[in-house]
Amino acid sequence: MTRAVHYTATIDLARPMGDRPAGGLSVRAAPKGEHQAGAALLPAERPAAYRVPFEVDRFGAERIELRNASSDVLRWVTIDLMGPGHFVAQTPTRLEPGQVLAVWLFGDDLARQTKVQVTWFFQGAQYLWLVSL
């Protein structure tokens, strides 16, 4: 008789790099069926949710503005386009509370095929958010 062992890999992005295991990846053997039961894989001290700190204003298909609606300073805010098209953005390294980041978009049929990915750091963790056009 063969006993099945399932492995679960987790990457905890909420922990600073210095506190992570080598390579940032931890692997543990899980009893058979644990992955199906939805067992918690992240440390209990990690918050369950983090409110997205942005408000989005759309100006047609060619421009969006992201406003930092939180009371926190967001660091290393970057923009990436997921799909066809190209963009121009004034990407600050910091986004103060209330500060706006404008993104100009160029391309055909952007609303159907393209999303804007916003990435930022807050309290030592990296977050990303996809914005539909």
Side-chain angles (χ1 to χ4, degrees), residues 47-67:
Y50 170 63
R51 174 174 270 195
V52 174
F54 298 104
E55 290 179 355
V56 178
D57 291 322
R58 290 175 173 82
F59 300 90
E62 64 276 347
R63 188 175 117 214
I64 63 171
E65 289 184 352
L66 299 167
R67 178 181 315 282

Side-chain angles (χ1 to χ4, degrees), residues 81-128:
L81 207 58
M82 311 295 284
H86 59 280
F87 71 100
V88 176
Q90 298 171 333
T91 307
T93 56
R94 292 170 49 115
L95 202 56
E96 300 286 338
Q99 189 176 1
V100 173
L101 172 63
V103 182
W104 287 268
L105 306 161
F106 304 94
D108 295 326
D109 204 17
L110 294 174
R112 288 183 166 205
Q113 301 180 35
T114 306
K115 294 189 183 331
V116 174
Q117 176 180 300
V118 184
T119 308
W120 71 97
F121 280 88
F122 175 67
Q123 293 184 348
Q126 182 180 21
Y127 296 90
L128 68 91

Side-chain angles (χ1 to χ4, degrees), residues 70-86:
S70 72
S71 59
D72 303 313
V73 175
L74 307 175
R75 301 182 191 290
W76 293 102
V77 178
T78 60
I79 302 293
D80 292 302
L81 207 58
M82 311 295 284
H86 59 280

Side-chain angles (χ1 to χ4, degrees), residues 11-17 20 46-47 122-127:
I11 301 173
D12 186 0
L13 296 178
R15 291 173 56 188
M17 288 300 289
R20 293 186 198 166
R46 181 173 177 185
F122 175 67
Q123 293 184 348
Q126 182 180 21
Y127 296 90

Side-chain angles (χ1 to χ4, degrees), residues 22-45:
L25 182 69
S26 62
V27 178
R28 68 176 177 84
K32 183 178 178 183
E34 180 179 328
H35 65 285
Q36 296 169 349
L41 300 176
L42 298 176
E45 64 271 5

